Amino acid sequence: MGSISTSKLDPKKFTKLYLNGEYVDAKSMDTYSLKNPKDNSVVLEGIPIAGSEDIDLAVRYAQAAYDGPWRTFSAIQRTECFNRLAALMEEQLIPILSLDSLTSGNPVSIIPTREKTYIKNAILYYAGWTDKQKGDYLPADDGFVKLVRHEPLGVCAAVNPFNAPVATFIFKAAPALATGNVLIVKPSEKTPLGSLALAPLFEQAGFPKGVIQVVTGAGETGALLSSHMSIRKISFTGSIPTGKKIQVAAAQSNLKRVTLELGGKSPALVFDDCNLENAVTWTINAILARSGQVCVAATRVYVQKSISQAFIDKYVEKMKAAANDLGDPQDDSVKLGPLVDQSQFERVKGMIERGKNEAELVVGGVQHGDTGCFIEPTVFLNPKADAEIYKKEIFGPVSIVKTFETEEEVLKLANDTEYGLMSGVFTKDITRALRVSSILDSGVVGINCISYMNMQSPFGGKKQSGLGREMGEYALRSFTEPKTVLINMNA
């Protein structure tokens, strides 16, 4: 057994806000503590809850940076800052992500192989976009030349989730800064440490002070950002109920732009002509990643009846075996960690208990070990049509497997939800795959894969799974406003 060291980063250093290039005491005197979900031990006390004075101060610093040095940066200068930031990540990202593991429960084993790579790649991807945001020219056939350019919005805010705090930080900050905005980041109150540790790297990379700032706190702090009259855009990743509150606050304040990446209840449609091993592998990985605490988790698996027994046998076997992978998330040999905290543990446990009366429990459904927030991977079969575990997002390692006979039937089942984030189609018939993908109500459809995101392509949901898109060129559009310039050729 081994461990990835976090000795370089002492959690006790991060009991302050990060404003205008410095760690500063909050004006608000309210604080809270952080716990490690593997045993509910206290990691750190005294995390500040930023109040209205703190948010006002952060906004003033952000506006000064936007109006001042940042506005003078050329596209190439911004690219150079991104490249230096990526270089800094090479040596400092592992300790930062390991620090977050103390309160998220995310295993440190995923850091070198997955997290570090896609976070660094996101920075490099947007480094290449700073000088490629072209506008439009429309001919003067009516005597007026029409030019369209895309301009930054100004002071923006990001409210991030607990499950991938540093990755989400970068996924929002990179397109915001590439387009010339400034950003105030509020990480989840459950996982703020990595974001606080990450912030100074931006100044080290050459970004001016105030371009990136980090404030901590729970819903009340997010509400202050959502309703602030000088913040022009808020990007939120999290639950649907909170997303709705943010949209209301944004509308009632100054009609700030909003991007919402919300919940999911992702269906995987497994047809009888699929590569069975591939379908099992993808659907298993898509429910066990971060112990099921991802919005794109494949929680509804529909299997055609003719192969249902073969699929279910393999699926159940792998889910049962995955319980052996649960353990100390700070041990680099461990693949699965606990749920993020006691409240999430109790929520998932309650849904499982109620689910026993709504479907057939075939695997798991119990706490793993005597301490901490560990839930064994859980599988239910053929739930009632209105079952809570079938209809609502669980956000834990809990999946539902349901059989179907026809394509028409499974499409109706898959689309019978208010969620529309991710889906997957498993078949060797490319015609069927394209046909089904066009009918599925989700922002992303995988063919012979599921729960996969790529930095080059837009990511986001339909229905109540969100508004707007992240990643790719589409994220750049969400941080800019088109401006039309009309030139009278007859003046």
Side-chain angles (χ1 to χ4, degrees), residues 82 122 126 156-161 164-179 181-186 202 212 233-238 259-262 455 459 467 469-471 475-476 478-479:
F82 277 117
Y126 283 108
C156 302
V159 178
N160 294 340
V166 171
T168 311
F169 187 140
I170 294 300
F171 293 165
K172 297 181 190 299
L177 272 54
T179 48
N181 297 280
V182 295
L183 190 68
I184 301 168
V185 177
K186 190 201 84 67
F202 285 84
I212 285 287
K233 159 73 186 280
I234 187 161
S235 178
F236 169 72
T237 300
T259 296
L260 301 175
E261 198 278 279
L262 307 178
M455 185 53 57
F459 173 73
L467 297 172
R469 292 295 183 267
E470 296 187 311
M471 303 186 185
L476 299 167
S478 74
F479 281 102

Side-chain angles (χ1 to χ4, degrees), residues 70 73-89 123-124 126-127 130 177-178 201-208 211:
W70 186 230
F73 272 49
S74 67
I76 295 304
Q77 285 177 301
R78 293 201 297 271
T79 293
E80 289 172 343
C81 289
F82 277 117
N83 287 335
R84 286 192 292 266
L85 181 63
L88 288 169
M89 292 289 191
I123 296 169
L124 293 173
Y126 283 108
T130 62
L177 272 54
L201 299 190
F202 285 84
E203 280 84 29
Q204 292 178 37
F207 292 93
V211 168

Side-chain angles (χ1 to χ4, degrees), residues 117-426:
T117 300
Y118 65 69
I119 290 172
K120 183 180 175 183
N121 286 350
I123 296 169
L124 293 173
Y125 174 81
Y126 283 108
W129 266 110
T130 62
D131 61 350
K132 298 176 182 66
Q133 297 160 58
K134 60 184 182 295
D136 296 295
Y137 164 84
L138 301 170
D141 54 353
D142 58 354
F144 293 86
V145 169
K146 282 80 69 176
L147 304 178
V148 181
R149 60 186 182 220
H150 298 275
E151 298 185 343
L153 299 172
V155 179
C156 302
V159 178
N160 294 340
F162 68 77
N163 54 356
V166 171
T168 311
F169 187 140
I170 294 300
F171 293 165
K172 297 181 190 299
L177 272 54
T179 48
N181 297 280
V182 295
L183 190 68
I184 301 168
V185 177
K186 190 201 84 67
S188 167
E189 68 275 15
K190 300 177 182 183
T191 53
L193 299 180
S195 299
L196 286 164
L198 175 67
L201 299 190
F202 285 84
E203 280 84 29
Q204 292 178 37
F207 292 93
K209 292 181 178 181
V211 168
I212 285 287
Q213 300 177 94
V214 177
V215 295
T216 54
E220 60 268 43
T221 304
L224 291 169
L225 294 168
S226 304
S227 60
H228 201 286
M229 293 297 293
S230 296
I231 292 176
R232 301 301 169 186
K233 159 73 186 280
I234 187 161
S235 178
F236 169 72
T237 300
S239 71
I240 289 175
T242 302
K244 289 180 177 180
K245 292 178 182 178
I246 285 175
Q247 189 174 20
V248 169
Q252 291 179 339
S253 55
N254 61 347
L255 279 176
K256 59 175 60 66
R257 304 296 181 262
V258 177
T259 296
L260 301 175
E261 198 278 279
L262 307 178
K265 193 71 175 172
S266 301
L269 284 59
V270 182
F271 289 94
D272 58 9
D273 65 341
C274 73
N275 178 324
L276 193 63
E277 289 295 334
N278 179 72
V280 171
T281 297
W282 275 95
T283 52
I284 287 289
N285 291 342
I287 189 61
L288 294 182
R290 301 181 196 271
S291 297
Q293 297 172 114
V294 290
C295 54
V296 296
T299 55
R300 293 183 294 151
V301 182
Y302 298 100
V303 187
Q304 202 155 23
K305 279 189 177 179
S306 56
I307 61 163
S308 61
Q309 196 58 56
F311 177 91
I312 290 170
D313 286 347
K314 290 178 179 291
Y315 187 88
V316 166
E317 179 186 358
K318 288 184 177 293
M319 286 288 275
K320 188 178 293 184
N324 298 322
D325 295 329
L326 284 162
D328 183 349
Q330 280 79 62
D331 185 325
D332 62 11
S333 68
V334 168
K335 298 178 182 178
L336 289 177
L339 300 184
V340 69
D341 62 12
Q342 191 66 28
S343 65
Q344 182 66 10
F345 172 82
E346 295 295 341
R347 178 183 177 276
V348 172
K349 187 176 178 182
M351 293 184 76
I352 290 173
E353 287 302 312
R354 293 187 293 276
K356 292 176 181 178
N357 298 318
E358 303 172 327
E360 179 188 356
L361 176 65
V362 292
V363 175
V366 297
Q367 180 177 1
H368 181 82
D370 299 323
T371 60
C373 303
F374 296 91
I375 290 282
E376 290 192 1
T378 300
V379 180
F380 286 96
L381 295 183
N382 294 317
K384 296 177 181 177
D386 60 348
E388 179 188 36
I389 55 169
Y390 181 53
K391 289 292 186 180
K392 292 187 177 180
E393 185 176 41
I394 299 173
F395 230 60
V398 183
S399 64
I400 286 83
V401 179
K402 186 175 176 64
T403 60
F404 71 93
E405 292 187 352
T406 67
E407 181 181 311
E408 182 182 24
E409 175 193 4
V410 74
L411 281 168
K412 185 176 180 180
L413 290 169
N415 288 338
D416 184 21
T417 176
E418 276 300 306
Y419 297 97
L421 185 57
M422 172 77 67
S423 59
V425 183
F426 292 86

